[in-house]
Amino acid sequence: MLTFIGLGLFDEYDISLKGLEAVREADLVYAEFYTSCLMGTNLEKMEKLYGKRVILLSREDVEQYPNWLNEARDRNICFLTGGDTMVSTTHVDLRLRAEKLGIETNLIHGASIASAVSGLTGLQNYRFGKSASIPHPYESRRGTRIISETPYDIIKQNTELGLHTLVFLDIDKEKGYMTINTALELLLEVEGKRGEGVMRGTAAVGIARAGSEKPMVKADYVENLKSFDFGNPLHILVIPGKLHFLEAEALVKLAQGPMGFMEKAE
């Protein structure tokens, strides 16, 4: 049996009681934290609460050489991830690999950043369009700095439809955790290159440390928000589309947004 367990948003205490019971009953416990991670804890604290050793897997262990899956043929294995399990395509692929090997799988869900963002900001979840992910820039073989324009295109498409965009920010082993500030600067750089006007004068909402006792939630116009200090990671960004008047009120009162949001609301 292979049980996928979502650990929630911030620390070791976010795991569900059902998940905790499954971990304690497991023969082996694996985890990956390259798609997401719990910033309020570490392996030592997790192992102390769970009463189990947690074996940390690399990207290669999960995506390229998941030989450890064979252990689930005749043993009870748990696979831990930040947030909710199966949100990442990587985890769906892993589950399908297990099924092809004849391994029974089970899911135990955890709190998701997608639903947490709606709760923290007051933006209604059914008004979100396709989400986007902003990777760190990289250098081509010729030494040219390359910025992905796909996130900008997704935001543009959603904005034209009046939909909000949830923007995930890159976690890179070498370059670290992308900040909201960097993400906005990259989007504005793409916009400047194209000579378009999707981002400028647009509302944006930054969320930092969701799931902690004191998460940071701040709404403002893009030009102002890019210099705001959100503190420690993890960060996530929302570019709202058309605002319902209740959403606009929530951004003003819950996220210290400008009163101008109310004037443009429907």
Side-chain angles (χ1 to χ4, degrees):
M1 166 73 80
L2 176 60
T3 302
F4 293 84
I5 303 176
L7 297 178
L9 299 174
F10 189 69
D11 61 28
E12 71 272 25
Y13 295 104
D14 284 348
I15 191 173
S16 68
L17 291 176
K18 185 183 292 186
L20 181 60
E21 182 178 8
V23 168
R24 288 176 174 174
E25 292 178 353
D27 295 316
L28 289 170
V29 180
Y30 292 98
E32 71 83 2
F33 294 129
Y34 66 86
T35 57
S36 183
C37 57
L38 306 183
M39 298 303 296
T41 190
N42 54 43
L43 276 180
E44 183 179 355
K45 291 179 180 178
M46 292 169 63
E47 290 176 337
K48 182 177 180 180
L49 176 65
Y50 303 162
K52 286 281 186 177
R53 180 190 174 209
V54 178
I55 303 169
L56 189 60
L57 299 173
S58 67
R59 182 185 292 269
E60 290 74 19
D61 293 330
V62 176
E63 298 181 3
Q64 298 180 33
Y65 310 108
N67 299 322
W68 54 273
L69 277 179
N70 291 305
E71 297 172 329
R73 291 178 182 272
D74 53 14
R75 304 183 77 181
N76 187 9
I77 307 297
C78 284
F79 178 72
L80 313 180
T81 63
D84 188 19
T85 189
M86 295 297 122
V87 171
S88 171
T89 305
T90 293
H91 305 148
V92 178
D93 177 68
L94 194 61
R95 188 184 185 195
L96 291 174
R97 291 192 191 203
E99 293 287 345
K100 288 178 182 178
L101 292 172
I103 298 169
E104 183 181 357
T105 61
N106 184 36
L107 308 181
I108 299 178
H109 296 282
S112 168
I113 189 61
S115 57
V117 162
S118 291
L120 289 168
T121 64
L123 296 174
Q124 298 165 8
N125 62 355
Y126 68 89
R127 294 169 66 92
F128 278 79
K130 182 180 178 179
S131 61
S133 297
I134 300 182
H136 285 285
Y138 67 94
E139 287 191 4
S140 68
R141 292 180 179 178
R142 296 181 179 181
T144 304
R145 181 169 173 267
I146 304 296
I147 299 175
S148 172
E149 298 187 15
T150 300
Y152 184 90
D153 288 329
I154 292 172
I155 292 169
K156 181 179 179 180
Q157 292 166 9
N158 284 339
T159 300
E160 290 172 347
L161 295 172
L163 301 174
H164 311 321
T165 308
L166 181 62
V167 185
F168 295 93
L169 309 185
D170 199 6
I171 299 175
D172 185 88
K173 187 175 182 180
E174 296 180 357
K175 298 178 181 178
Y177 305 99
M178 181 179 289
T179 65
I180 293 162
N181 317 87
T182 297
L184 290 174
E185 288 171 359
L186 291 172
L187 290 169
L188 288 170
E189 190 169 339
V190 172
E191 178 155 284
K193 174 184 174 182
R194 292 187 175 188
E196 298 181 0
V198 175
M199 299 300 300
R200 294 192 181 277
T202 298
V205 191
I207 301 101
R209 300 173 299 284
S212 67
E213 292 184 2
K214 294 184 178 181
M216 172 61 71
V217 185
K218 175 61 178 174
D220 208 330
Y221 296 106
V222 167
E223 294 87 343
N224 299 329
L225 204 65
K226 70 176 183 178
S227 59
F228 185 83
D229 183 6
F230 284 91
N232 294 329
L234 291 172
H235 292 186
I236 194 161
L237 174 67
V238 180
I239 305 298
K242 291 182 180 179
L243 292 172
H244 184 274
F245 71 91
L246 283 178
E247 293 179 306
E249 183 179 3
L251 291 181
V252 171
K253 294 183 177 179
L254 302 179
Q256 299 79 49
M259 289 299 296
F261 286 3
M262 300 284 287
E263 298 171 1
K264 297 181 180 180
E266 299 178 339

